[in-house]
Amino acid sequence: MSAADALPILDHIVILVSVESLQKLPKQLENALTVIDGGSHADGLTLNKLIIFRDGSYIELIAFRDNLDPERRHGHRWGSLKEGAIIDWAYTLADEKAFPAVQKRVEEASPETGVRYQDPVAGGRRRPDGAELKWAVSSAQDASHKPLWPGTAPFWCLDRTPRHLRVPYRDEETGVALPHTTHASGALGISQVFISVPEKEFSSTCLLYDLVHGPAIKHGSPEKAWHWTVYAGSSRGEQVVSLSASPGSKERHISLRLVGDQDSPRSIHVLPGLTLDFDNRSDGE
């Protein structure tokens, strides 16, 4: 990957919740973050709400509909995952035409990483105001073309309608941030994404991340880090993904830190068992 290649753009973080929690958000979440309706996905299985930040990234609160056929839910890549947790994360690119180069790099190294990206699959969602959104998603697969466990490798969300329709974070004419990007907690964006994998997967996942991001900016064991960017360009956040190994554990874990202003708390509790920390507070703490 040459220095001329663009960094991946952090698109969003996925938190799976129950449909009851989505319909009636916990007070501690509403008191800290502004949440807007997203809509229903084209597959008829899920619906979502969004927490959009001024840096152009967002958190997706997604839920499966009630009374789904268990087999239909289980067939979804997130259908068997635990609710009330961060389950996945997505990158995007300014133009879908740039994705085949990423896909090719990863494919060529698949004998070493055991990972490849599928060809983009069309998806979409209808907003509450009726606007139809279109995109394509590419998820990671293993060497046998079976879906990789969500969260280890980012998936890609590539817009086929203007992104500002899907992620309205600023006025397209004036560039002014939209009101729903203002949060009571002072959250401005996403600073860091932390991924933890079983120790035996650490080396191959490092190679995969090198192929996606370029060379690591932090080298060490058991942790490395890589840069990504955001649609708004620079922010006060670190803008890195950090990968660590979990010795003796088979678990995979995703967490994140938000960028806050000088009045932001150290952390906020958004769901039972789920806390989001703040990074780069300008008060020096």
Side-chain angles (χ1 to χ4, degrees), residues 9-281:
I9 302 168
L10 182 66
D11 193 71
H12 68 282
I13 306 293
V14 183
I15 299 178
L16 180 63
V17 299
S18 68
V19 70
E20 293 81 11
S21 293
L22 191 70
Q23 291 170 342
K24 188 175 182 180
L25 296 171
K27 282 297 181 185
Q28 68 265 32
L29 192 160
E30 287 190 308
N31 290 339
L33 298 168
T34 303
V35 183
I36 64 171
D37 285 333
S40 300
H41 289 102
D43 60 11
L45 298 177
T46 54
L47 58 163
N48 69 7
K49 292 185 178 181
L50 310 178
I51 301 165
I52 300 179
F53 299 110
R54 293 189 176 192
D55 67 359
S57 66
Y58 69 98
I59 293 173
E60 176 184 24
L61 303 173
I62 191 168
F64 285 91
R65 291 185 176 277
D66 271 336
N67 304 316
L68 282 179
D69 182 320
E71 289 190 10
R72 287 193 70 201
R73 173 165 177 162
H74 187 71
H76 192 286
R77 64 191 300 263
W78 298 327
S80 59
L81 300 183
K82 177 184 175 183
E83 294 177 345
I86 301 173
I87 58 167
D88 218 339
W89 51 302
Y91 280 149
T92 190
L93 296 167
D95 191 327
E96 185 179 346
K97 293 177 182 177
F99 181 68
V102 178
Q103 189 180 28
K104 182 180 179 182
R105 286 197 301 270
V106 174
E107 180 76 36
E108 290 175 345
S110 61
E112 298 169 80
T113 65
V115 178
R116 61 185 298 277
Y117 277 109
Q118 66 178 160
D119 290 336
V121 176
R125 169 168 60 86
R126 187 172 294 278
R127 296 194 321 195
D129 64 4
E132 186 177 4
L133 313 179
K134 296 181 180 180
W135 60 74
V137 167
S138 176
S139 302
Q141 300 176 331
D142 65 19
S144 301
H145 294 218
K146 294 180 180 178
L148 204 66
W149 188 263
T152 300
F155 69 98
W156 297 81
C157 188
L158 307 165
D159 288 287
R160 291 180 173 176
T161 49
R163 186 179 187 268
H164 70 84
L165 297 177
R166 181 171 65 89
V167 193
Y169 72 99
R170 65 184 179 189
D171 185 286
E172 287 301 298
E173 293 185 0
T174 66
V176 175
L178 295 175
H180 56 249
T181 64
T182 298
H183 303 280
S185 61
L188 302 172
I190 296 172
S191 178
Q192 300 183 64
V193 180
F194 299 92
I195 309 296
S196 175
V197 297
E199 191 170 24
K200 67 178 183 179
E201 298 177 10
F202 182 72
S203 294
S204 60
T205 307
C206 283
L207 175 55
L208 172 65
Y209 284 17
D210 283 341
L211 296 166
V212 169
H213 305 88
I217 58 168
K218 177 181 178 182
H219 298 270
S221 182
E223 185 175 332
K224 287 188 176 182
W226 294 260
H227 268 311
W228 39 262
T229 189
V230 288
Y231 249 93
S234 62
S235 76
R236 296 214 314 257
E238 296 290 334
Q239 295 183 195
V240 298
V241 55
S242 295
L243 178 70
S244 62
S246 301
S249 173
K250 296 182 180 180
E251 297 294 322
R252 299 165 181 82
H253 183 69
I254 309 172
S255 60
L256 60 88
R257 294 176 72 91
L258 302 176
V259 187
D261 63 22
Q262 63 182 10
D263 297 318
S264 293
R266 294 182 182 276
S267 61
I268 52 176
H269 300 283
V270 293
L271 293 168
L274 181 59
T275 297
L276 303 181
D277 295 327
F278 280 85
D279 204 5
N280 278 19
R281 295 171 60 194

